[in-house]
């Protein structure tokens, strides 16, 4: 959104940041400084970037997509055993067309999972999201694999955010404590049917309409042989996130936009699966604490989005309220 980028920035090796991310003096390390500069540029220019050298094995990343594909290939009755309902805290399986973006059904099916928390922990704010995740019994060991993946994605996201905190001019720990010391997370396992042939032509269904993500940072694990995710630039062109094997596509969410006073934007994106093949994407959303009150960091209060003068000061939000308002309007049930 922020510039007229024609392709998405690539952080070709994020490992120098990860190596030092537990060192309180990381900000002085030349390797860290380099990665932080790249993160800053990518977040300002596009709000989207590829990350390579992240340390999560390509084998696991693939397995997570493959087991997700196996689940979606099961008979509908089997999938309905873990049907998502409001009573289940919006956790579970939703059929194609059940998710709605800006009034239009999205042509995808999905399993939604959220961090689990004790009943009553967040009072009325958390009620809508309470409940255990609904994991399928088939394929075998689905839950175990996903839980390992969730742990790794949580650690990686926290560590990337240490770099982003430095990029914003803060200490590495701006996102810890009250903001995201107990990060809420969301995982969406998504399947997009192949584009149907109509009158001998491939029709393009909208797999997911244009939206921004809700939290801090998203890690997208997408099929390597289909190009479907598209990101909108300043001029309104849709730029494809062409798969780079073994990478994550990362993007900024609404809470990071507020925290950074709009210096980093949560960029609009959508999904159109042009391929005749079924596409799988596993999106991990690293969010603030569920009850975090989010407003611009002090270190960002005198910073403004590039090229817009001093006109944009962003509002305050409670993350849980933002999420619940989205979830409650996301489904046609
Ligand atoms: N947790 C996140 N970010 N989920 C993204 C889903 C985007 C589509 C949704 N129907 C919407 O309109 O937001
Ligand atoms: O399928 C994708 O590549 C991205 C999905 C997405 O944007 C989302 O679930 O928020
Ligand atoms: Fe998204």
């Amino acid at each position: 959104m922020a510039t007229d980028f024609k392709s998405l920035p690539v952080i070709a090796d994020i490992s120098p940041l990860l190596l030092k991310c537990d060192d309180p003096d990381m900000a002085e390390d030349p390797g860290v400084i380099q990665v932080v500069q790249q993160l800053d540029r990518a977040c300002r220019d596009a709000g989207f970037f590829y990350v390579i050298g992240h340390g999560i094995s390509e084998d696991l990343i693939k397995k997570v997509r493959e087991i997700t594909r196996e689940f979606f290939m099961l008979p509908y009755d089997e999938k309905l055993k873990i049907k998502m309902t409001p009573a289940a805290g919006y956790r579970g399986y939703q059929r194609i067309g059940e998710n709605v973006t800006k009034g239009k059904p999205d042509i995808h099916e999905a399993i939604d999972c959220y961090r689990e928390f004790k009943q009553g922990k967040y009072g009325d704010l958390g009620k809508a999201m309470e409940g255990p995740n609904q994991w399928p019994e088939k394929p075998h060991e689905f839950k175990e694999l996903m839980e390992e993946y969730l742990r790794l994605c949580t650690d990686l996201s926290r560590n990337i955010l240490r770099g982003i905190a430095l990029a914003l001019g803060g200490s590495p720990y701006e996102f810890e404590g009250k903001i995201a010391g107990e990060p809420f997370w969301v995982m969406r396992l998504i399947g997009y049917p192949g584009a149907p042939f109509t009158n001998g032509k491939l029709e393009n269904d909208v797999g997911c309409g244009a939206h921004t993500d809700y939290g801090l940072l998203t890690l997208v694990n997408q099929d390597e042989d289909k190009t479907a995710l598209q990101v909108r630039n300043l001029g309104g062109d849709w730029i494809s996130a062409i798969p780079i094997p073994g990478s994550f596509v990362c993007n900024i969410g609404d809470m990071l936009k507020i925290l950074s006073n709009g210096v980093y934007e949560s960029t609009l994106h959508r999904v159109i699966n042009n391929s005749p093949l079924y596409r799988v994407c596993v999106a991990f959303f690293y969010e603030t604490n569920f009850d975090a009150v989010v407003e611009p960091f002090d270190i960002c209060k005198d910073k403004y989005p590039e090229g817009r003068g001093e006109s944009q000061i962003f509002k305050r939000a409670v993350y849980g309220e933002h999420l619940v308002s989205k979830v409650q309007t996301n489904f046609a049930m």
Side-chain angles (χ1 to χ4, degrees):
M1 187 64 135
T3 63
D4 256 330
F5 57 87
K6 298 290 180 230
S7 62
L8 302 181
V10 179
I11 315 277
D13 185 11
I14 198 151
S15 66
L17 169 68
L18 304 179
L19 271 172
K20 293 280 167 172
C21 65
D22 290 323
D23 175 351
D25 297 324
M26 64 187 283
E28 274 93 70
D29 181 84
V32 171
I33 291 171
Q34 245 199 1
V35 171
V36 165
Q37 279 170 352
Q38 292 176 50
L39 283 170
D40 186 50
R41 206 59 266 161
C43 291
R44 285 175 194 269
D45 289 351
F48 258 86
F49 51 91
Y50 298 87
V51 163
I52 301 169
H54 47 68
I56 302 184
S57 88
E58 220 174 311
D59 185 53
L60 177 64
I61 290 179
K62 265 208 184 112
K63 266 195 194 142
V64 162
R65 290 200 310 269
E66 288 321 311
I67 202 167
T68 299
R69 197 182 327 272
E70 279 174 44
F71 172 80
F72 288 130
M73 294 308 122
L74 292 171
Y76 188 51
D77 284 355
E78 187 66 35
K79 298 191 271 191
L80 277 185
K81 289 183 181 166
I82 57 161
K83 184 177 162 51
M84 183 220 46
T85 62
Y90 293 91
R91 297 157 195 258
Y93 170 77
Q94 58 212 251
R95 60 173 162 73
I96 294 168
E98 200 164 339
N99 206 306
V100 171
T101 302
K102 302 207 178 102
K104 286 204 175 146
D106 292 322
I107 305 306
H108 72 247
E109 56 188 328
I111 301 177
D112 284 353
C113 320
Y114 298 89
R115 182 173 172 151
E116 292 174 352
F117 55 89
K118 263 214 207 88
Q119 204 181 338
K121 179 172 163 92
Y122 300 116
D124 284 349
L125 180 65
K127 272 218 160 51
M129 308 304 305
E130 282 177 358
N133 284 320
Q134 301 200 69
W135 299 107
E137 263 167 42
K138 287 185 210 168
H140 191 57
E141 302 208 325
F142 191 94
K143 175 180 184 214
E144 289 71 18
L145 187 74
M146 292 304 171
E147 285 184 338
E148 183 190 355
Y149 185 69
L150 283 164
R151 264 194 305 280
L152 295 169
C153 286
T154 302
D155 286 346
L156 176 60
S157 304
R158 184 189 55 246
N159 294 337
I160 295 175
L161 281 164
R162 288 193 178 164
I164 291 180
L166 293 175
L168 285 169
S171 91
Y173 314 115
E174 301 294 337
F175 294 100
E176 283 150 64
K178 274 192 168 163
I179 297 296
E182 231 180 58
F184 199 69
W185 55 255
V186 183
M187 183 168 69
R188 306 201 68 219
L189 311 166
I190 317 170
Y192 303 88
F197 266 99
T198 316
N199 304 325
K201 273 196 325 215
L202 277 180
E203 288 270 312
N204 296 337
D205 282 329
V206 177
C208 187
H211 66 278
T212 60
D213 292 344
Y214 316 151
L216 291 173
L217 187 72
T218 307
L219 305 181
V220 171
N221 169 5
Q222 59 171 341
D223 270 352
E224 291 168 5
D225 56 347
K226 298 135 201 148
T227 298
L229 173 59
Q230 303 176 348
V231 185
R232 208 182 71 163
N233 73 9
L234 186 63
D237 296 328
W238 291 98
I239 306 302
S240 287
I242 298 164
I244 300 181
S247 72
F248 285 106
V249 176
C250 296
N251 64 281
I252 285 171
D254 299 334
M255 295 305 110
L256 184 43
K257 174 173 177 169
I258 296 177
L259 288 161
S260 70
N261 210 16
V263 172
Y264 299 163
E265 273 210 65
S266 47
T267 312
L268 267 179
H269 53 285
R270 67 180 186 189
V271 180
I272 296 179
N273 183 12
N274 293 312
S275 158
L277 302 175
Y278 192 94
R279 174 178 183 267
V280 167
C281 169
V282 175
F284 173 81
F285 304 92
Y286 186 89
E287 320 277 269
T288 63
N289 296 351
F290 189 80
D291 55 358
V293 179
V294 178
E295 54 190 338
F297 283 137
D298 286 336
I299 49 163
C300 293
K301 283 196 169 128
D302 54 356
K303 289 189 182 152
Y304 303 93
E306 275 170 22
R308 296 224 194 109
E310 300 195 357
S311 55
Q312 260 184 325
I313 307 275
F314 283 93
K315 49 170 201 241
R316 228 171 94 114
V318 176
Y319 168 72
E321 287 174 5
H322 186 55
L323 176 67
V324 169
S325 76
K326 292 282 188 179
V327 165
Q328 287 179 339
T329 52
N330 262 347
F331 299 102
M333 287 185 289

PDB file of all heavy atoms in Angstrom, residues 209-239:
ATOM      1  N   GLY A 209     -11.625 -12.503  -0.363  1.00  0.00           N
ATOM      2  CA  GLY A 209     -11.733 -11.114  -0.802  1.00  0.00           C
ATOM      3  C   GLY A 209     -10.710 -10.218  -0.119  1.00  0.00           C
ATOM      4  O   GLY A 209     -10.056 -10.618   0.852  1.00  0.00           O
ATOM      5  N   ALA A 210     -10.572  -9.016  -0.644  1.00  0.00           N
ATOM      6  CA  ALA A 210      -9.556  -8.078  -0.135  1.00  0.00           C
ATOM      7  C   ALA A 210      -9.800  -7.768   1.345  1.00  0.00           C
ATOM      8  O   ALA A 210     -10.908  -7.435   1.751  1.00  0.00           O
ATOM      9  CB  ALA A 210      -9.592  -6.796  -0.956  1.00  0.00           C
ATOM     10  N   HIS A 211      -8.760  -7.886   2.120  1.00  0.00           N
ATOM     11  CA  HIS A 211      -8.854  -7.645   3.566  1.00  0.00           C
ATOM     12  C   HIS A 211      -7.461  -7.309   4.103  1.00  0.00           C
ATOM     13  O   HIS A 211      -6.468  -7.482   3.414  1.00  0.00           O
ATOM     14  CB  HIS A 211      -9.379  -8.900   4.279  1.00  0.00           C
ATOM     15  CG  HIS A 211      -8.412 -10.051   4.201  1.00  0.00           C
ATOM     16  ND1 HIS A 211      -8.335 -10.880   3.096  1.00  0.00           N
ATOM     17  CD2 HIS A 211      -7.457 -10.493   5.061  1.00  0.00           C
ATOM     18  CE1 HIS A 211      -7.381 -11.780   3.288  1.00  0.00           C
ATOM     19  NE2 HIS A 211      -6.821 -11.564   4.467  1.00  0.00           N
ATOM     20  N   THR A 212      -7.427  -6.849   5.332  1.00  0.00           N
ATOM     21  CA  THR A 212      -6.163  -6.738   6.050  1.00  0.00           C
ATOM     22  C   THR A 212      -6.212  -7.756   7.190  1.00  0.00           C
ATOM     23  O   THR A 212      -7.292  -8.181   7.597  1.00  0.00           O
ATOM     24  CB  THR A 212      -5.961  -5.323   6.628  1.00  0.00           C
ATOM     25  OG1 THR A 212      -7.038  -5.031   7.533  1.00  0.00           O
ATOM     26  CG2 THR A 212      -5.924  -4.270   5.524  1.00  0.00           C
ATOM     27  N   ASP A 213      -5.043  -8.150   7.699  1.00  0.00           N
ATOM     28  CA  ASP A 213      -5.014  -9.071   8.834  1.00  0.00           C
ATOM     29  C   ASP A 213      -5.143  -8.261  10.126  1.00  0.00           C
ATOM     30  O   ASP A 213      -4.920  -7.065  10.145  1.00  0.00           O
ATOM     31  CB  ASP A 213      -3.760  -9.935   8.781  1.00  0.00           C
ATOM     32  CG  ASP A 213      -3.809 -10.912   7.597  1.00  0.00           C
ATOM     33  OD1 ASP A 213      -4.903 -11.122   7.034  1.00  0.00           O
ATOM     34  OD2 ASP A 213      -2.744 -11.452   7.233  1.00  0.00           O
ATOM     35  N   TYR A 214      -5.506  -8.953  11.210  1.00  0.00           N
ATOM     36  CA  TYR A 214      -6.000  -8.223  12.379  1.00  0.00           C
ATOM     37  C   TYR A 214      -4.954  -7.902  13.443  1.00  0.00           C
ATOM     38  O   TYR A 214      -5.174  -7.010  14.258  1.00  0.00           O
ATOM     39  CB  TYR A 214      -7.098  -9.039  13.070  1.00  0.00           C
ATOM     40  CG  TYR A 214      -8.125  -9.660  12.152  1.00  0.00           C
ATOM     41  CD1 TYR A 214      -8.762 -10.852  12.516  1.00  0.00           C
ATOM     42  CD2 TYR A 214      -8.470  -9.070  10.926  1.00  0.00           C
ATOM     43  CE1 TYR A 214      -9.714 -11.436  11.694  1.00  0.00           C
ATOM     44  CE2 TYR A 214      -9.416  -9.665  10.094  1.00  0.00           C
ATOM     45  CZ  TYR A 214     -10.037 -10.846  10.479  1.00  0.00           C
ATOM     46  OH  TYR A 214     -10.969 -11.428   9.665  1.00  0.00           O
ATOM     47  N   GLY A 215      -3.867  -8.655  13.463  1.00  0.00           N
ATOM     48  CA  GLY A 215      -2.987  -8.575  14.631  1.00  0.00           C
ATOM     49  C   GLY A 215      -1.666  -7.889  14.354  1.00  0.00           C
ATOM     50  O   GLY A 215      -1.624  -6.748  13.886  1.00  0.00           O
ATOM     51  N   LEU A 216      -0.558  -8.611  14.678  1.00  0.00           N
ATOM     52  CA  LEU A 216       0.770  -8.025  14.519  1.00  0.00           C
ATOM     53  C   LEU A 216       1.445  -8.486  13.233  1.00  0.00           C
ATOM     54  O   LEU A 216       1.805  -7.678  12.374  1.00  0.00           O
ATOM     55  CB  LEU A 216       1.654  -8.411  15.717  1.00  0.00           C
ATOM     56  CG  LEU A 216       1.310  -7.791  17.074  1.00  0.00           C
ATOM     57  CD1 LEU A 216       2.181  -8.414  18.159  1.00  0.00           C
ATOM     58  CD2 LEU A 216       1.500  -6.272  17.042  1.00  0.00           C
ATOM     59  N   LEU A 217       1.641  -9.813  13.121  1.00  0.00           N
ATOM     60  CA  LEU A 217       2.464 -10.349  12.038  1.00  0.00           C
ATOM     61  C   LEU A 217       1.884 -11.694  11.588  1.00  0.00           C
ATOM     62  O   LEU A 217       1.573 -12.539  12.422  1.00  0.00           O
ATOM     63  CB  LEU A 217       3.890 -10.566  12.562  1.00  0.00           C
ATOM     64  CG  LEU A 217       4.952 -10.969  11.532  1.00  0.00           C
ATOM     65  CD1 LEU A 217       5.297  -9.778  10.646  1.00  0.00           C
ATOM     66  CD2 LEU A 217       6.217 -11.471  12.243  1.00  0.00           C
ATOM     67  N   THR A 218       1.771 -11.871  10.279  1.00  0.00           N
ATOM     68  CA  THR A 218       1.248 -13.127   9.725  1.00  0.00           C
ATOM     69  C   THR A 218       2.378 -13.882   9.038  1.00  0.00           C
ATOM     70  O   THR A 218       3.210 -13.262   8.373  1.00  0.00           O
ATOM     71  CB  THR A 218       0.135 -12.822   8.694  1.00  0.00           C
ATOM     72  OG1 THR A 218      -0.845 -11.985   9.300  1.00  0.00           O
ATOM     73  CG2 THR A 218      -0.531 -14.099   8.189  1.00  0.00           C
ATOM     74  N   LEU A 219       2.411 -15.203   9.214  1.00  0.00           N
ATOM     75  CA  LEU A 219       3.353 -16.073   8.490  1.00  0.00           C
ATOM     76  C   LEU A 219       2.532 -16.962   7.553  1.00  0.00           C
ATOM     77  O   LEU A 219       1.757 -17.799   8.030  1.00  0.00           O
ATOM     78  CB  LEU A 219       4.143 -16.966   9.451  1.00  0.00           C
ATOM     79  CG  LEU A 219       4.926 -16.336  10.599  1.00  0.00           C
ATOM     80  CD1 LEU A 219       5.652 -17.436  11.398  1.00  0.00           C
ATOM     81  CD2 LEU A 219       5.943 -15.317  10.089  1.00  0.00           C
ATOM     82  N   VAL A 220       2.701 -16.784   6.269  1.00  0.00           N
ATOM     83  CA  VAL A 220       1.933 -17.547   5.275  1.00  0.00           C
ATOM     84  C   VAL A 220       2.791 -18.669   4.706  1.00  0.00           C
ATOM     85  O   VAL A 220       3.879 -18.425   4.176  1.00  0.00           O
ATOM     86  CB  VAL A 220       1.447 -16.615   4.134  1.00  0.00           C
ATOM     87  CG1 VAL A 220       0.846 -17.422   2.986  1.00  0.00           C
ATOM     88  CG2 VAL A 220       0.443 -15.599   4.653  1.00  0.00           C
ATOM     89  N   ASN A 221       2.284 -19.884   4.824  1.00  0.00           N
ATOM     90  CA  ASN A 221       2.927 -21.084   4.282  1.00  0.00           C
ATOM     91  C   ASN A 221       2.044 -21.558   3.128  1.00  0.00           C
ATOM     92  O   ASN A 221       0.978 -22.127   3.351  1.00  0.00           O
ATOM     93  CB  ASN A 221       3.020 -22.114   5.427  1.00  0.00           C
ATOM     94  CG  ASN A 221       3.425 -23.508   4.976  1.00  0.00           C
ATOM     95  OD1 ASN A 221       3.734 -23.739   3.819  1.00  0.00           O
ATOM     96  ND2 ASN A 221       3.404 -24.451   5.912  1.00  0.00           N
ATOM     97  N   GLN A 222       2.480 -21.297   1.909  1.00  0.00           N
ATOM     98  CA  GLN A 222       1.609 -21.538   0.753  1.00  0.00           C
ATOM     99  C   GLN A 222       2.197 -22.583  -0.187  1.00  0.00           C
ATOM    100  O   GLN A 222       3.412 -22.771  -0.258  1.00  0.00           O
ATOM    101  CB  GLN A 222       1.367 -20.226  -0.014  1.00  0.00           C
ATOM    102  CG  GLN A 222       2.635 -19.557  -0.537  1.00  0.00           C
ATOM    103  CD  GLN A 222       2.360 -18.380  -1.465  1.00  0.00           C
ATOM    104  OE1 GLN A 222       1.277 -18.240  -2.012  1.00  0.00           O
ATOM    105  NE2 GLN A 222       3.356 -17.529  -1.660  1.00  0.00           N
ATOM    106  N   ASP A 223       1.300 -23.259  -0.938  1.00  0.00           N
ATOM    107  CA  ASP A 223       1.728 -24.213  -1.963  1.00  0.00           C
ATOM    108  C   ASP A 223       2.734 -23.557  -2.898  1.00  0.00           C
ATOM    109  O   ASP A 223       2.615 -22.375  -3.224  1.00  0.00           O
ATOM    110  CB  ASP A 223       0.521 -24.689  -2.785  1.00  0.00           C
ATOM    111  CG  ASP A 223      -0.135 -25.925  -2.176  1.00  0.00           C
ATOM    112  OD1 ASP A 223       0.427 -26.489  -1.219  1.00  0.00           O
ATOM    113  OD2 ASP A 223      -1.211 -26.309  -2.673  1.00  0.00           O
ATOM    114  N   GLU A 224       3.698 -24.375  -3.345  1.00  0.00           N
ATOM    115  CA  GLU A 224       4.806 -23.822  -4.138  1.00  0.00           C
ATOM    116  C   GLU A 224       4.523 -23.742  -5.631  1.00  0.00           C
ATOM    117  O   GLU A 224       5.266 -23.116  -6.377  1.00  0.00           O
ATOM    118  CB  GLU A 224       6.060 -24.692  -3.917  1.00  0.00           C
ATOM    119  CG  GLU A 224       6.596 -24.543  -2.510  1.00  0.00           C
ATOM    120  CD  GLU A 224       7.633 -25.592  -2.161  1.00  0.00           C
ATOM    121  OE1 GLU A 224       8.018 -26.383  -3.045  1.00  0.00           O
ATOM    122  OE2 GLU A 224       8.058 -25.601  -0.984  1.00  0.00           O
ATOM    123  N   ASP A 225       3.455 -24.414  -6.062  1.00  0.00           N
ATOM    124  CA  ASP A 225       3.241 -24.536  -7.514  1.00  0.00           C
ATOM    125  C   ASP A 225       2.027 -23.767  -8.008  1.00  0.00           C
ATOM    126  O   ASP A 225       1.520 -24.026  -9.092  1.00  0.00           O
ATOM    127  CB  ASP A 225       3.129 -26.019  -7.893  1.00  0.00           C
ATOM    128  CG  ASP A 225       2.033 -26.724  -7.107  1.00  0.00           C
ATOM    129  OD1 ASP A 225       1.543 -26.150  -6.115  1.00  0.00           O
ATOM    130  OD2 ASP A 225       1.645 -27.831  -7.501  1.00  0.00           O
ATOM    131  N   LYS A 226       1.499 -22.837  -7.199  1.00  0.00           N
ATOM    132  CA  LYS A 226       0.378 -22.009  -7.642  1.00  0.00           C
ATOM    133  C   LYS A 226       0.607 -20.588  -7.165  1.00  0.00           C
ATOM    134  O   LYS A 226       1.064 -20.386  -6.042  1.00  0.00           O
ATOM    135  CB  LYS A 226      -0.943 -22.492  -7.022  1.00  0.00           C
ATOM    136  CG  LYS A 226      -1.342 -23.884  -7.411  1.00  0.00           C
ATOM    137  CD  LYS A 226      -1.816 -24.690  -6.238  1.00  0.00           C
ATOM    138  CE  LYS A 226      -1.707 -26.165  -6.564  1.00  0.00           C
ATOM    139  NZ  LYS A 226      -1.421 -26.957  -5.355  1.00  0.00           N
ATOM    140  N   THR A 227       0.270 -19.632  -7.997  1.00  0.00           N
ATOM    141  CA  THR A 227       0.383 -18.232  -7.578  1.00  0.00           C
ATOM    142  C   THR A 227      -1.021 -17.703  -7.388  1.00  0.00           C
ATOM    143  O   THR A 227      -1.809 -17.682  -8.331  1.00  0.00           O
ATOM    144  CB  THR A 227       1.144 -17.430  -8.644  1.00  0.00           C
ATOM    145  OG1 THR A 227       2.461 -17.977  -8.739  1.00  0.00           O
ATOM    146  CG2 THR A 227       1.242 -15.966  -8.264  1.00  0.00           C
ATOM    147  N   ALA A 228      -1.362 -17.297  -6.186  1.00  0.00           N
ATOM    148  CA  ALA A 228      -2.756 -16.946  -5.893  1.00  0.00           C
ATOM    149  C   ALA A 228      -2.899 -15.738  -4.967  1.00  0.00           C
ATOM    150  O   ALA A 228      -3.842 -14.954  -5.095  1.00  0.00           O
ATOM    151  CB  ALA A 228      -3.465 -18.145  -5.274  1.00  0.00           C
ATOM    152  N   LEU A 229      -1.970 -15.575  -4.046  1.00  0.00           N
ATOM    153  CA  LEU A 229      -2.040 -14.449  -3.107  1.00  0.00           C
ATOM    154  C   LEU A 229      -1.602 -13.169  -3.828  1.00  0.00           C
ATOM    155  O   LEU A 229      -0.592 -13.163  -4.529  1.00  0.00           O
ATOM    156  CB  LEU A 229      -1.123 -14.740  -1.907  1.00  0.00           C
ATOM    157  CG  LEU A 229      -0.915 -13.639  -0.871  1.00  0.00           C
ATOM    158  CD1 LEU A 229      -2.229 -13.195  -0.233  1.00  0.00           C
ATOM    159  CD2 LEU A 229       0.053 -14.123   0.208  1.00  0.00           C
ATOM    160  N   GLN A 230      -2.391 -12.123  -3.680  1.00  0.00           N
ATOM    161  CA  GLN A 230      -2.100 -10.850  -4.350  1.00  0.00           C
ATOM    162  C   GLN A 230      -2.157  -9.704  -3.345  1.00  0.00           C
ATOM    163  O   GLN A 230      -3.035  -9.668  -2.491  1.00  0.00           O
ATOM    164  CB  GLN A 230      -3.134 -10.580  -5.451  1.00  0.00           C
ATOM    165  CG  GLN A 230      -3.224 -11.683  -6.502  1.00  0.00           C
ATOM    166  CD  GLN A 230      -4.324 -11.405  -7.517  1.00  0.00           C
ATOM    167  OE1 GLN A 230      -5.154 -10.520  -7.312  1.00  0.00           O
ATOM    168  NE2 GLN A 230      -4.325 -12.164  -8.610  1.00  0.00           N
ATOM    169  N   VAL A 231      -1.231  -8.765  -3.501  1.00  0.00           N
ATOM    170  CA  VAL A 231      -1.078  -7.671  -2.547  1.00  0.00           C
ATOM    171  C   VAL A 231      -1.277  -6.351  -3.282  1.00  0.00           C
ATOM    172  O   VAL A 231      -0.711  -6.143  -4.361  1.00  0.00           O
ATOM    173  CB  VAL A 231       0.340  -7.705  -1.928  1.00  0.00           C
ATOM    174  CG1 VAL A 231       0.478  -6.651  -0.849  1.00  0.00           C
ATOM    175  CG2 VAL A 231       0.650  -9.099  -1.371  1.00  0.00           C
ATOM    176  N   ARG A 232      -2.052  -5.452  -2.700  1.00  0.00           N
ATOM    177  CA  ARG A 232      -2.334  -4.200  -3.402  1.00  0.00           C
ATOM    178  C   ARG A 232      -1.294  -3.126  -3.105  1.00  0.00           C
ATOM    179  O   ARG A 232      -0.973  -2.860  -1.942  1.00  0.00           O
ATOM    180  CB  ARG A 232      -3.720  -3.678  -3.046  1.00  0.00           C
ATOM    181  CG  ARG A 232      -4.310  -2.848  -4.184  1.00  0.00           C
ATOM    182  CD  ARG A 232      -5.637  -2.285  -3.837  1.00  0.00           C
ATOM    183  NE  ARG A 232      -5.462  -1.233  -2.840  1.00  0.00           N
ATOM    184  CZ  ARG A 232      -6.395  -0.332  -2.575  1.00  0.00           C
ATOM    185  NH1 ARG A 232      -7.561  -0.371  -3.188  1.00  0.00           N
ATOM    186  NH2 ARG A 232      -6.175   0.592  -1.663  1.00  0.00           N
ATOM    187  N   ASN A 233      -0.788  -2.516  -4.165  1.00  0.00           N
ATOM    188  CA  ASN A 233       0.189  -1.428  -3.960  1.00  0.00           C
ATOM    189  C   ASN A 233      -0.520  -0.079  -3.975  1.00  0.00           C
ATOM    190  O   ASN A 233      -1.750   0.004  -4.127  1.00  0.00           O
ATOM    191  CB  ASN A 233       1.342  -1.535  -4.971  1.00  0.00           C
ATOM    192  CG  ASN A 233       0.947  -1.143  -6.392  1.00  0.00           C
ATOM    193  OD1 ASN A 233      -0.151  -0.616  -6.626  1.00  0.00           O
ATOM    194  ND2 ASN A 233       1.830  -1.396  -7.341  1.00  0.00           N
ATOM    195  N   LEU A 234       0.250   0.969  -3.819  1.00  0.00           N
ATOM    196  CA  LEU A 234      -0.313   2.318  -3.701  1.00  0.00           C
ATOM    197  C   LEU A 234      -1.146   2.705  -4.921  1.00  0.00           C
ATOM    198  O   LEU A 234      -2.190   3.341  -4.800  1.00  0.00           O
ATOM    199  CB  LEU A 234       0.840   3.324  -3.509  1.00  0.00           C
ATOM    200  CG  LEU A 234       0.460   4.765  -3.223  1.00  0.00           C
ATOM    201  CD1 LEU A 234      -0.299   4.885  -1.913  1.00  0.00           C
ATOM    202  CD2 LEU A 234       1.723   5.640  -3.170  1.00  0.00           C
ATOM    203  N   GLY A 235      -0.681   2.306  -6.101  1.00  0.00           N
ATOM    204  CA  GLY A 235      -1.402   2.650  -7.330  1.00  0.00           C
ATOM    205  C   GLY A 235      -2.639   1.796  -7.559  1.00  0.00           C
ATOM    206  O   GLY A 235      -3.357   2.005  -8.545  1.00  0.00           O
ATOM    207  N   GLY A 236      -2.880   0.822  -6.675  1.00  0.00           N
ATOM    208  CA  GLY A 236      -4.069  -0.020  -6.821  1.00  0.00           C
ATOM    209  C   GLY A 236      -3.833  -1.277  -7.641  1.00  0.00           C
ATOM    210  O   GLY A 236      -4.775  -2.032  -7.908  1.00  0.00           O
ATOM    211  N   ASP A 237      -2.592  -1.510  -8.065  1.00  0.00           N
ATOM    212  CA  ASP A 237      -2.298  -2.756  -8.786  1.00  0.00           C
ATOM    213  C   ASP A 237      -2.177  -3.907  -7.793  1.00  0.00           C
ATOM    214  O   ASP A 237      -1.711  -3.723  -6.664  1.00  0.00           O
ATOM    215  CB  ASP A 237      -0.956  -2.640  -9.543  1.00  0.00           C
ATOM    216  CG  ASP A 237      -1.013  -1.571 -10.619  1.00  0.00           C
ATOM    217  OD1 ASP A 237      -2.097  -1.367 -11.199  1.00  0.00           O
ATOM    218  OD2 ASP A 237       0.032  -0.923 -10.860  1.00  0.00           O
ATOM    219  N   TRP A 238      -2.551  -5.081  -8.271  1.00  0.00           N
ATOM    220  CA  TRP A 238      -2.425  -6.284  -7.448  1.00  0.00           C
ATOM    221  C   TRP A 238      -1.132  -6.993  -7.815  1.00  0.00           C
ATOM    222  O   TRP A 238      -0.946  -7.413  -8.950  1.00  0.00           O
ATOM    223  CB  TRP A 238      -3.629  -7.200  -7.646  1.00  0.00           C
ATOM    224  CG  TRP A 238      -4.870  -6.603  -7.075  1.00  0.00           C
ATOM    225  CD1 TRP A 238      -5.843  -5.915  -7.744  1.00  0.00           C
ATOM    226  CD2 TRP A 238      -5.270  -6.616  -5.691  1.00  0.00           C
ATOM    227  NE1 TRP A 238      -6.825  -5.497  -6.869  1.00  0.00           N
ATOM    228  CE2 TRP A 238      -6.498  -5.910  -5.602  1.00  0.00           C
ATOM    229  CE3 TRP A 238      -4.710  -7.144  -4.521  1.00  0.00           C
ATOM    230  CZ2 TRP A 238      -7.178  -5.733  -4.390  1.00  0.00           C
ATOM    231  CZ3 TRP A 238      -5.390  -6.966  -3.313  1.00  0.00           C
ATOM    232  CH2 TRP A 238      -6.606  -6.273  -3.252  1.00  0.00           C
ATOM    233  N   ILE A 239      -0.234  -7.111  -6.845  1.00  0.00           N
ATOM    234  CA  ILE A 239       1.084  -7.714  -7.063  1.00  0.00           C
ATOM    235  C   ILE A 239       1.072  -9.129  -6.488  1.00  0.00           C
ATOM    236  O   ILE A 239       0.735  -9.332  -5.319  1.00  0.00           O
ATOM    237  CB  ILE A 239       2.174  -6.867  -6.357  1.00  0.00           C
ATOM    238  CG1 ILE A 239       2.095  -5.395  -6.792  1.00  0.00           C
ATOM    239  CG2 ILE A 239       3.568  -7.456  -6.585  1.00  0.00           C
ATOM    240  CD1 ILE A 239       2.236  -5.136  -8.285  1.00  0.00           C
TER     241      ILE A 239
END
